[in-house]
Amino acid sequence: MPTSYSDPAVVGAIAAIAAVTFAIRFSFIALFGRLDEIPPRVRRVLRYVPPAVLAALVLPSIVAVDPASGTLAVDRLFAGALAGVVAWRTEDVFATIAVGMGALWTVRLLFF
Amino acid sequence: MDAADLRRGVRDVAPLLLGMIPFGFVVGIAAANAGLDLVQAVGMSAVVFAGASQLAALDLLASDAPLAVVVVTAGVVNLRMLMYSASIATYFRAFSMRWRAGLAFLLTDPAYALSIAAFRTDESIDRRAYYLGAAVTLWVIWQVTTVAGVVLGAEVPDALALDFTVPLVFLALTTSAVEDRPTAVAAVVGGPAATVSGGLPLDVGLLVGASLGVVAGVGTETLGGADAD
């Protein structure tokens, strides 16, 4: 679905994301000398951000409720599960996309 | 600047480009689906240059989430780069502040991983040349693949459901981020929590899920005590 935001709003959001992201990247590189280590407590918490955020990005798109019927989108669930096995075994982005999309198209071709 | 070390950076990053090409393509498609034009899409890839956060932001923009939620979510997705910044800072201390800002702007997962490995094993390497060889190559390919995604993605019929490639990319990245039991718990709690809270107002489900996942990961590590590592 295209966003309903105006062009200036979209550009503003992109600029803000760029600024926040640059601040994160530059933080310790800029501060070096005054603060050269992340406090261990913060480091501990940061370690869990990638798995938690990424899983939170994945699952809602795979366990999606079909708005038309109000039921689970079985094709996505099946393709996502199969791609999950491939991702787990290979940790390869390309293989995961290939198997996931292949499974989705196959299920749709056969059953819909 | 040492031309041989620059070339070495380009050469070392080459095998990683194969995995990055579909990712950049997916970002281009997601940008087009979210209603961004070519300039906005490429502009985003040029200045943000962080795929996972771009996809998360585009997803939220497409569902008209509040702009503050869009920006905060993208920032949270990029928080891991604090660790890269701290880790690589010591190798950049000799450079001027202006150069450090430029190098920081190009900091990404692959550029960090390759450079830190090269800096550790080779004391005499021209760090700036090697890093730029890898990082600038990644930046250029990122723009090219974003353009390809925007242009070619528009030609692909909706029935192919190319939007499904977005969660598939995240799926592969999730399995890479799970290294041990506490990180697995963070993922296993974060995913379902985000799904269940998907109906919450302002599209804060992702942030709620991610926060609960982080708490669960830290909790598991704490309870695990000595055998956490």
Side-chain angles (χ1 to χ4, degrees):
Chain A
M1 283 270 287
T3 182
S4 330
Y5 282 114
S6 64
D7 280 355
V10 170
V11 171
I14 292 171
I17 293 168
V20 168
T21 304
F22 177 70
I24 293 170
R25 284 171 162 144
F26 197 30
S27 57
F28 284 88
I29 292 174
L31 283 172
F32 191 84
R34 273 189 286 169
L35 188 66
D36 55 54
E37 270 292 309
I38 299 186
R41 263 203 187 150
V42 178
R43 186 179 287 271
R44 234 179 104 200
V45 171
L46 284 178
R47 203 165 91 80
Y48 298 106
V49 173
V53 170
L54 290 167
L57 283 165
V58 176
L59 212 63
S61 311
I62 288 175
V63 190
V65 176
D66 183 0
S69 62
T71 55
L72 275 178
V74 186
D75 51 349
R76 286 179 167 242
L77 197 60
F78 172 77
L82 202 62
V85 175
V86 173
W88 187 255
R89 295 277 176 210
T90 66
E91 293 191 1
D92 184 270
V93 174
F94 194 74
T96 307
I97 294 180
V99 170
M101 294 311 291
L104 187 73
W105 294 334
T106 308
V107 171
R108 289 193 169 179
L109 214 61
L110 293 178
F111 299 104
F112 291 91
Chain B
M1 207 174 302
D2 188 313
D5 283 338
L6 186 83
R7 280 197 300 273
R8 196 175 141 197
V10 176
R11 202 169 54 230
D12 285 356
V13 84
L16 298 177
L17 299 179
L18 201 63
M20 192 184 179
I21 288 167
F23 198 177
F25 194 67
V26 169
V27 166
I29 294 172
N33 284 342
L36 272 67
D37 61 33
L38 185 62
V39 173
Q40 291 168 344
V42 179
M44 185 188 216
S45 279
V47 298
V48 177
F49 188 36
S53 70
Q54 288 179 240
L55 285 182
L58 290 166
D59 202 34
L60 288 171
L61 276 176
S63 61
D64 288 334
L67 293 179
V69 173
V70 176
V71 176
V72 169
T73 302
V76 169
V77 172
N78 287 334
L79 264 185
R80 69 188 184 289
M81 293 198 277
L82 265 183
M83 292 188 279
Y84 304 161
S85 182
S87 159
I88 210 164
T90 166
Y91 295 102
F92 289 165
R93 65 196 302 190
F95 304 134
S96 70
M97 199 50 105
R98 190 174 290 188
W99 263 110
R100 275 146 77 181
L103 298 176
F105 175 77
L106 293 169
L107 189 61
T108 55
D109 309 54
Y112 164 75
L114 286 174
S115 299
I116 210 80
F119 298 169
R120 276 186 185 145
T121 52
D122 186 351
E123 289 274 313
S124 66
I125 197 169
D126 181 340
R127 291 171 188 158
R128 193 166 48 184
Y130 181 87
Y131 178 90
L132 286 176
V136 172
T137 305
L138 287 164
W139 188 88
V140 170
I141 298 297
W142 192 240
Q143 311 315 316
V144 173
T145 52
T146 303
V147 172
V150 173
V151 174
L152 300 176
E155 308 292 320
V156 177
D158 282 349
L160 286 182
L162 279 191
D163 60 312
F164 194 59
T165 51
V166 175
L168 292 175
V169 169
F170 287 131
L171 186 57
L173 298 179
T174 306
T175 53
S176 311
V178 171
E179 300 162 336
D180 52 17
R181 216 161 69 95
T183 45
V185 170
V188 167
V189 171
T195 309
V196 171
S197 51
L200 288 180
L202 309 182
D203 280 301
V204 291
L206 172 67
L207 291 173
V208 170
S211 309
L212 290 174
V214 169
V215 169
V218 173
T220 307
E221 186 190 315
T222 308
L223 291 176
D227 57 37
D229 264 312

